[in-house]
Amino acid sequence: LCEKKNLGLLVGRLENIYTKDELTGLFNRQGFKLASTPAVNKAIENKTPICAFLFDLDSLKVINDTFGHAEGSFAIQVLAHALENSTDETTICSRWEGDEFWVLAFDYTPEKAAALMEHVTKYLNHYNKLHSKDYQIQVSCGYCLRIPQTPDDLTEMFKEADLNMYAQKRSKDKHIIKGRL
């Protein structure tokens, strides 16, 4: 009985290593794929809209080069907390790679999508005001909202979200170091 319990704990730990990002605790790529597949299939079956968000930290290279990689990792963690704080339990959040996060939300409207992006931005702005870091943690975001027809639609949705995120990123002021204009 003790061996069975220990084996169960070990399997659970291995599943976490396999599906979770070590730095943020969010899903990694594999975890995202495992969590999103049944959810997307359900959305297809029920003809409910899904919203694919792509969040990307602004100027992470500047943070890394100026303040060190530990500060860059810290900024990534703050964004992960902002996403967790801004979403509900049905939303799938993942650190896709580097400073890029994929979020998949269900039964959204354009208004709910805008509200999520605004909540994340307000969280980061509030964080920046309260903490004494010498840099601002800022994010760019794009999204795509539609009712998927096939599981492959998700790939196209994230491509569109990526284009929208880069359009927002290009339109922003790039000053993240406090005290510089």
Side-chain angles (χ1 to χ4, degrees):
L1 187 62
C2 189
E3 281 184 30
K4 190 173 184 177
K5 183 178 179 181
N6 285 338
L7 182 60
L9 291 172
L10 181 60
V11 168
R13 177 72 180 125
L14 288 173
E15 285 175 353
N16 267 348
I17 291 169
Y18 184 64
T19 61
K20 298 287 178 136
D21 175 62
E22 186 178 12
L23 181 63
T24 64
L26 298 177
F27 283 121
N28 59 20
R29 281 178 181 241
Q30 190 61 35
F32 180 87
K33 290 174 187 175
L34 289 171
S36 67
T37 299
V40 170
N41 287 337
K42 183 178 177 185
I44 292 167
E45 183 180 317
N46 296 334
K47 297 184 179 3
T48 56
I50 59 176
C51 193
F53 292 92
L54 200 145
F55 290 88
D56 190 78
L57 273 174
D58 292 338
S59 303
L60 179 63
K61 181 171 176 20
V62 173
I63 294 171
N64 283 336
D65 291 350
T66 308
F67 303 103
H69 288 272
E71 288 298 318
S73 292
F74 180 80
I76 289 169
Q77 289 173 319
V78 170
L79 176 53
H81 288 293
L83 293 172
E84 286 179 311
N85 183 268
S86 302
T87 57
D88 64 24
E89 65 279 348
T90 65
T91 303
I92 301 169
C93 295
S94 69
R95 179 176 174 213
W96 193 251
E97 63 185 5
D99 63 338
E100 185 176 295
F101 293 79
W102 284 22
V103 175
L104 193 60
F106 301 90
D107 205 19
Y108 260 49
T109 62
E111 294 77 21
K112 281 180 79 173
L116 172 61
M117 292 188 307
E118 183 179 340
H119 195 276
V120 170
T121 301
K122 282 183 180 180
Y123 181 100
L124 295 175
N125 289 341
H126 185 68
Y127 174 86
N128 289 327
K129 287 178 187 171
L130 292 178
H131 291 82
S132 60
K133 297 289 183 185
D134 291 328
Y135 56 87
Q136 300 280 326
I137 299 174
Q138 299 174 348
V139 68
S140 294
C141 178
Y143 75 91
C144 176
L145 174 67
R146 70 171 72 138
I147 297 172
Q149 304 299 312
T150 71
D152 292 337
D153 286 354
L154 194 59
T155 302
E156 293 305 313
M157 291 176 70
F158 276 107
K159 284 181 183 176
E160 185 175 325
D162 189 53
L163 291 173
N164 293 333
M165 182 274 300
Y166 274 107
Q168 184 186 62
K169 192 175 279 277
R170 282 189 300 274
S171 72
K172 290 176 119 178
D173 185 8
K174 301 289 195 245
H175 302 290
I176 63 144
I177 297 176
K178 291 182 179 176
R180 291 192 185 174
L181 296 175

